[in-house]
Amino acid sequence: MNWANLWNRLRGMPRSLDTDLDDELAFHAEMKQRELEHQGMTAAEAERAARRSLGNLTLSREQSREAWHFVWLTDLWRDLQYGARTLRANPGFTVAATLALALGIGLNGILFTVYNAMALTPWAIRDAGNVAQITVEDVPGRWRGFSWPEYNYLREHTRSMDSIVAVDGAGFRIRFGDQSWNASTVIASDNFFQGAGTGFAAGRGFSPSAADPLNPAPEVVLHYDTWQNRFGGAPDTVGQWLEVNGQPLQVVGIAAEGFSGPTATVPQLWIPAPWRDKLNPGSDFYTSGDSCCAQLFGHLRPGATRAESQAELSTLSAQYRQSQQRKTGRLQLSHPTLLANPGMKFPVSQIFLLLSLASGLILALASANVANLQLARARTRRREIAVRLSLGAARGRILRQLFAESLLLASLAGLITLALCHTVPNAILAWMELSQERLTVQFAADWRVAGFLIAMSFLAALLFGLAPALSAVRDAASGGRTTSGGGRLRTVFLVAQVAVCATVLGGSALLVRAMQQSRQIDPGFRWESAIVVSPNLTSNNLTDDQAREITNALRDRLLKLPGVEDIAGATLIPLGNSFSATDAAGPGGKNKVIAYFTKVSTNALRVLAIPIVAGRDFDRTDETRSDVVIVNEALAAQLLPGQDAIGKVIEAAGKRQIVGVARNNSIRELSPLPQMNFYVPSRGDRATNLIVRHTGAATPFLSEIPKISRTLDSRVLATAIPLEQNLRRARRSAEIAATLAGALSILALVLACVGIYGVAAYNVAQRTREIGVRVALGARPGEIVGMVLRQNLRGVAIGGAAGIAGALAFDQLLHSMLYGLSPTDPWAILSAVAILAGMALLAAWPNAQRAASVAPASALRHD
Amino acid sequence: MTPTELLPGTLDLLILKTLTRGPLHGYGIALYLNQVSEQVLQVGEGSLYPALQRLMVNGWTVGEWGQSETGRRVRFYKLTPAGRKRLKEEEQGFDRMVNAIQVVLRAV
């Protein structure tokens, strides 16, 4: 049936179809009658003959009507209504089944939503269907972008692409008025905005002279959100001058709202590519053929195919590289999505494959559980089905009706899932706060996700609905005398499922405990009432001496603030995600190891309250010495096993004598593993940060310190953050892992409960007659309950035991990965077992109750 | 000559062809077919009305209500452009079939 046809039906279907037809037929009969009278019949004869010639009026009318109606559609509607009534009448079953299915479908759906956003949704740029990303495989398996000179060569010579655009990421220090911040920036070719095809909220894109390598136009374009957040959406922003790494650049445009370009994270602003070198003196990204990783994309010219363009660009790239005596690579065009880039595709697809296998398995598990529930219900509905069959309903009709019910259940779960897909991925992302940078991908339930969910729901309905429906009809048709031999299989299935559930539950309980442990890790330094001040001098092209002068002046100024107790200098910010590492070796170069090191002022260990366990702390006289070092316990034990470390000369950023041993701590990262650290004295350099120990609240200092630093020296764009913030962030990852593990175990638990309930319900339904006989023979309700529970919990016990073994094996694995964990926590496993047993009891209980309330008479009636 | 049963599937074709002369009501169509075929083709009224409904569903005809000679409310069927196209296709299909049948008849 096509759409025009459907339209005709809807348009033409008259409300008064029957009267219209009756009118027509009556007219016809009348005319016929006249005709016959004309031929000489009597009126009565003619009328009879006319009626006869029209034949069966009712049939004719029925057939005429059938042309208009969709019989199957009304049937389906009736089936769905009937299904909805049945589901409403069994709220317990409906809730359990919907929940299990929503979990199974939801997991797959959320995974697909993420995949859809990353791999299927093209970048939000002009005419994305004709856009190709260009990447090159320099070394087998390593896909990269291009150097800027090669990019310029390709762009100049290509005939198959409209214009090739290049972008790369960078971070710059921005200053505007009395604001100053680090901005993630995209450096772009001058044609970027034409290529991306965005409009502007104000102003324009780059001018062609922005590509001039020597004298690029001093232009920046702001992201709409930056304009809103940093400039308050001021209408006169275009035309303002910013300081970018100390250089003045003018805002020439503000990109249209929502435009973020083809990069994975949302940039704050765009800067013409040649500026990258100008803003980082000494670097030669724009001119060096050795530079790398400009991300290229372009629009195919009308008529050019991807294959042609790829061939052309490969030739051009080879030409260029030969002229530069460089190795040629394999060039490839890919679609404009995040994951289409071959460098990303393989590893990420592997992860997705693995995850989708796992979530597919969970959906299968959920479907099997619901199938069990359906089977149990089918046993009790056998009489209803048998009656309907004997009343003449076709088997296909009943099958269809049972299936409509399954479809309804699956659709319900699918609808819930649709809402989940729209909200959960974004919520998880926001909650994880994985990075300060926002991702450009939007996880939304679009038409692809909706289509996927419909397909999944249908598939689930087939999985859990078809087999029970078939067996129900077969069962009823044979009068219920066939015993479906699935009983043993069902028990095996239950045992396996409980085993898996117990493993997941026990494993995640262990994981949660382990994460709690690492949450409670004492970082080993005093993090309260401390502020890290970063002068951010590395980007200013200052010498170490100049930087030291500035930093010392800042330190002296801050020391005068009321409430500041002491200030130390250190190159490493505690838990600040940055570090320096170097080789360290014991006397004679033995026991070599990589260790983290920090250049500190001589009071740093006191300010951070890192205890010295042997020897001494640095003092003022050490400041200029380059031959002393303080190691931590872990490094001492590694370099000088079983010896007294004090006074020994080791290799640690030069030959140095150990003057002290410090307590182990988690300056580098929060982890139960001991980290090897050493500290060397320093007077300060460009990389030095100040650690301010204060009293009272941190907030006034946080706003005061950047202002003070700017009045001191306009080149200082200091940031101040409380040390506590770093610790909170470090603890966050442990929280995330524990919460995800917890969520996973709840999921497993729910599924297992539905499974246990389903099997128990089936068992009771099957034994109704037997139970009735027992009750008639005088069995007390308690005995019946015990009998049913025993039968069902035996499987749970076997599965649970296997699961505990699995959890213990997982525990071994966990310990081998994270040594430093405390020994196996019996409480974690015990609590998992208790929870599982409790839930199993809970799941089997309603069925046991139902069994106990079986009336003896029903045993006689039960067929 | 005794009335002949219609070849299956040809009723639609005949109705469409009849309507090329102008709008007609059901009885008119039956009458016309009967007369033109010199009483050979007897259209069963029992199958005529379902066929008329089918043609309307497919958009090949539209119905318009009017007054009959006797003053009754009666529906006149009118050919649509889609109906003309369909008629052409059916005529060609019918010609092809008749030719094919004749070829077979002569061959044996």
Side-chain angles (χ1 to χ4, degrees):
Chain A
M1 179 193 325
N2 57 35
W3 288 111
N5 187 313
L6 182 68
W7 170 240
N8 286 329
R9 284 179 197 230
L10 294 176
R11 191 187 49 178
M13 190 191 293
R15 293 218 163 264
S16 52
L17 182 75
D18 288 341
T19 30
D20 282 356
L21 259 172
D22 284 348
D23 280 357
E24 269 193 299
L25 293 171
F27 169 69
H28 194 112
E30 188 188 315
M31 297 304 284
K32 188 90 187 172
Q33 190 181 339
R34 278 186 186 204
E35 182 190 326
L36 294 173
E37 278 177 47
H38 238 68
Q39 289 169 10
M41 287 193 193
T42 66
E45 269 176 349
E47 194 192 335
R48 262 205 308 281
R51 285 210 177 285
R52 214 168 31 243
S53 79
L54 271 174
N56 186 339
L57 268 178
T58 320
L59 186 66
S60 176
R61 203 158 52 203
E62 276 295 308
Q63 284 171 347
S64 301
R65 197 196 285 121
E66 233 165 61
W68 296 99
H69 281 205
F70 320 95
V71 175
W72 62 270
L73 202 65
T74 43
D75 274 0
L76 181 67
W77 179 237
R78 217 169 292 139
D79 285 347
L80 287 177
Q81 278 178 323
Y82 185 80
R85 271 203 304 279
T86 324
L87 291 181
R88 253 206 313 276
N90 298 280
F93 164 79
T94 308
V95 169
T98 310
L99 201 65
L101 287 173
L103 283 178
I105 300 175
L107 218 58
N108 287 278
I110 287 171
L111 197 64
F112 181 80
T113 308
V114 174
Y115 184 76
N116 175 45
M118 292 174 71
L120 303 179
T121 313
W123 298 330
I125 59 176
R126 168 176 67 91
D127 189 20
N130 276 322
V131 170
Q133 293 189 71
I134 312 165
T135 39
V136 65
E137 189 183 32
D138 283 333
V139 180
R142 213 172 72 210
W143 292 88
R144 312 202 303 175
F146 293 81
S147 72
W148 284 87
E150 183 170 5
Y151 155 66
N152 281 321
Y153 183 87
L154 294 179
R155 175 177 167 185
E156 200 175 309
H157 291 89
T158 181
R159 295 276 163 275
S160 64
M161 284 203 165
D162 248 351
S163 177
I164 304 177
V165 177
V167 290
D168 200 354
F172 292 115
R173 186 88 198 156
I174 311 294
R175 176 161 167 197
F176 177 71
D178 52 1
Q179 294 187 81
S180 141
W181 69 97
N182 287 322
S184 72
T185 307
V186 163
I187 54 171
S189 53
D190 59 291
N191 60 352
F192 172 75
F193 292 98
Q194 294 96 294
T198 178
F200 296 90
R204 55 172 175 86
F206 300 141
S207 54
S209 60
D212 184 342
L214 295 176
N215 221 344
E219 299 176 329
V220 303
V221 173
L222 299 180
H223 191 278
Y224 186 88
D225 295 349
T226 315
W227 181 47
Q228 291 296 324
N229 299 338
R230 294 282 178 181
F231 298 83
D236 62 345
T237 305
V238 171
Q240 301 273 12
W241 291 80
L242 312 178
E243 237 173 67
V244 181
N245 274 19
Q247 294 255 24
L249 295 181
Q250 193 177 23
V251 177
V252 296
I254 292 150
E257 189 173 359
F259 175 80
S260 295
T263 40
T265 53
V266 177
Q268 291 198 20
L269 39 101
W270 292 271
I271 289 182
W275 277 103
R276 176 166 177 167
D277 293 343
K278 299 231 152 226
L279 298 174
N280 291 306
S283 84
D284 56 356
F285 267 99
Y286 196 65
T287 49
S288 165
D290 287 327
S291 71
C292 133
C293 303
Q295 188 191 338
L296 267 51
F297 70 90
H299 286 85
L300 293 169
R301 281 244 164 93
T305 66
R306 278 170 192 270
E308 283 163 16
S309 181
Q310 178 165 325
E312 185 216 37
L313 291 171
S314 297
T315 315
L316 289 176
S317 169
Q319 270 171 18
Y320 171 79
R321 290 182 179 217
Q322 270 153 20
S323 74
Q324 303 288 310
Q325 277 101 49
R326 284 176 188 283
K327 235 180 95 206
T328 55
R330 189 157 71 90
L331 183 142
Q332 188 173 323
L333 297 194
S334 47
H335 287 271
T337 66
L338 203 57
L339 275 194
N341 185 327
M344 291 276 276
K345 199 174 182 172
F346 184 68
V348 182
S349 313
Q350 292 261 309
I351 294 172
F352 270 114
L353 184 70
L354 211 70
L355 286 177
S356 54
L357 276 179
S359 60
L361 201 70
I362 288 177
L363 178 60
L365 209 69
S367 300
N369 281 338
V370 178
N372 256 338
L373 279 178
Q374 294 268 61
L375 270 178
R377 287 182 62 228
R379 297 265 331 164
T380 52
R381 288 174 73 179
R382 205 166 49 192
R383 186 184 291 267
E384 168 204 335
I385 293 168
V387 167
R388 294 185 58 190
L389 279 176
S390 62
L391 283 179
R395 284 185 186 205
R397 189 74 190 74
I398 288 182
L399 259 181
R400 210 161 62 185
Q401 200 264 304
L402 289 176
F403 189 64
E405 209 177 291
S406 301
L407 215 54
L408 210 60
L409 263 181
S411 309
L412 207 61
L415 267 178
I416 294 173
T417 309
L418 192 67
L420 289 181
C421 285
H422 203 66
T423 50
V424 167
N426 284 320
I428 290 182
L429 205 67
W431 170 73
M432 295 210 317
E433 294 171 4
L434 274 185
S435 63
Q436 279 93 341
E437 293 183 359
R438 280 185 304 143
L439 296 178
T440 50
V441 290
Q442 292 290 318
F443 300 114
D446 61 2
W447 59 272
R448 285 189 215 95
V449 172
F452 177 83
L453 288 180
I454 290 172
M456 283 313 258
S457 304
F458 196 78
L459 183 75
L462 276 180
L463 275 176
F464 76 76
L466 211 53
L470 278 173
S471 104
V473 172
R474 204 180 44 228
D475 237 30
S478 65
R481 271 176 296 281
T482 53
T483 46
S484 35
R488 181 171 295 270
L489 194 69
R490 234 182 309 280
T491 309
V492 170
F493 177 72
L494 176 74
V495 168
Q497 186 168 321
V498 169
V500 169
C501 172
T503 307
V504 171
L505 212 58
S508 57
L510 287 168
L511 207 61
V512 168
R513 293 287 288 212
M515 292 307 159
Q516 271 176 348
Q517 266 183 37
S518 69
R519 248 187 78 105
Q520 287 154 1
I521 291 170
D522 175 13
F525 57 87
R526 210 180 129 206
W527 47 270
E528 305 97 331
S529 304
I531 292 169
V532 180
V533 179
S534 309
N536 294 307
L537 297 173
T538 40
S539 60
N540 280 37
N541 208 18
L542 297 168
T543 64
D544 278 340
D545 285 332
Q546 287 170 321
R548 183 184 313 124
E549 230 167 83
I550 295 170
T551 313
N552 285 349
L554 180 61
R555 182 193 62 198
D556 294 343
R557 176 70 186 79
L558 295 182
L559 271 172
K560 293 202 188 93
L561 286 179
V564 170
E565 290 182 331
D566 204 356
I567 297 181
T571 49
L572 182 144
I573 302 170
L575 299 174
N577 281 341
S578 68
F579 60 91
S580 315
T582 184
D583 282 339
K590 275 187 291 190
N591 303 324
K592 201 161 153 182
V593 71
I594 291 179
Y596 301 114
F597 77 99
T598 314
K599 292 190 238 171
V600 292
S601 64
T602 50
N603 64 342
L605 297 183
R606 280 191 299 283
V607 170
L608 284 170
I610 296 171
I612 301 292
V613 294
R616 63 172 179 87
D617 196 353
F618 293 130
D619 60 38
R620 277 252 164 223
T621 58
D622 293 321
E623 196 169 87
T624 50
R625 292 177 66 175
S626 57
D627 60 348
V628 289
V629 64
I630 292 178
V631 298
N632 74 348
E633 293 166 293
L635 186 59
Q638 162 71 27
L639 298 183
L640 301 152
Q643 304 169 43
D644 181 15
I646 305 302
K648 298 280 186 339
V649 175
I650 59 163
E651 199 76 49
K655 279 215 181 313
R656 289 169 190 269
Q657 187 181 27
I658 299 176
V659 296
V661 176
R663 172 78 42 82
N664 284 340
N665 60 42
S666 294
I667 275 200
R668 158 81 187 97
E669 60 183 349
L670 206 58
S671 133
L673 313 185
Q675 298 149 41
M676 292 175 222
N677 274 317
F678 65 88
Y679 308 89
V680 297
S682 155
R683 293 161 58 217
D685 57 24
R686 294 198 302 165
T688 300
N689 303 290
L690 297 178
I691 295 160
V692 178
R693 167 76 53 208
H694 63 89
T695 54
T699 331
F701 293 107
L702 297 180
S703 56
E704 201 59 22
I705 291 173
K707 281 185 201 151
I708 291 174
S709 73
R710 210 156 25 242
T711 56
L712 206 64
D713 188 314
S714 65
R715 287 170 296 185
V716 186
L717 303 167
T719 48
I721 54 158
L723 197 48
E724 192 183 350
Q725 187 177 317
N726 284 357
L727 184 73
R728 258 208 315 271
R729 196 181 50 215
R731 285 182 170 165
R732 185 110 191 119
S733 58
E735 255 169 58
I736 290 169
T739 313
L740 288 183
L744 191 70
S745 55
I746 289 176
L747 202 140
L749 202 61
V750 168
L751 283 182
C753 281
V754 173
I756 294 167
Y757 179 89
V759 172
Y762 184 82
N763 286 339
V764 170
Q766 216 172 20
R767 292 174 70 181
T768 304
R769 171 179 238 151
E770 175 205 330
I771 292 169
V773 170
R774 281 175 192 267
V775 172
L777 291 179
R780 280 191 306 275
E783 286 168 349
I784 303 287
V785 168
M787 183 187 81
V788 171
L789 287 185
R790 256 198 313 283
Q791 183 195 8
N792 290 296
L793 295 188
R794 198 180 305 131
V796 173
I798 298 170
I804 288 169
L808 285 174
F810 176 74
D811 186 47
Q812 289 296 312
L813 193 73
L814 205 65
H815 272 84
S816 70
M817 288 193 305
L818 299 174
Y819 62 99
L821 269 189
S822 60
T824 299
D825 190 343
W827 285 109
I829 302 238
L830 272 179
S831 59
V833 171
I835 290 173
L836 185 66
M839 293 308 282
L841 209 62
L842 215 60
W845 186 257
N847 295 299
Q849 284 295 313
R850 192 173 321 130
S853 63
V854 166
S858 78
L860 306 174
R861 262 186 264 117
H862 198 83
D863 37 4
Chain B
M1 218 175 182
T2 50
T4 312
E5 282 283 311
L6 276 179
L7 272 172
T10 50
L11 180 57
D12 288 7
L13 171 65
L14 294 178
I15 294 174
L16 289 173
K17 186 73 191 172
T18 307
L19 289 178
T20 54
R21 302 176 65 244
L24 268 178
H25 48 61
Y27 179 71
I29 295 171
L31 212 59
Y32 174 79
L33 283 176
N34 202 2
Q35 285 165 1
V36 166
S37 67
E38 291 161 345
Q39 320 266 320
V40 174
L41 297 179
Q42 194 68 254
V43 179
E45 284 86 347
S47 53
L48 175 65
Y49 284 91
L52 284 170
Q53 299 284 337
R54 202 163 53 235
L55 293 177
M56 262 207 295
V57 165
N58 286 313
W60 296 327
T61 65
V62 285
E64 272 169 18
W65 289 93
Q67 287 273 322
S68 77
E69 305 85 319
T70 58
R72 263 189 184 275
R73 208 170 79 97
V74 67
R75 178 153 41 195
F76 289 91
Y77 294 90
K78 216 168 95 182
L79 207 56
T80 64
R84 279 179 205 288
K85 219 175 111 207
R86 175 71 189 177
L87 172 63
K88 201 178 266 173
E89 287 164 15
E90 289 222 357
E91 277 180 325
Q92 285 165 358
F94 185 75
D95 285 347
R96 259 204 311 282
M97 189 179 76
V98 171
N99 285 338
I101 292 173
Q102 282 182 343
V103 168
V104 173
L105 289 179
R106 280 195 214 105
V108 180

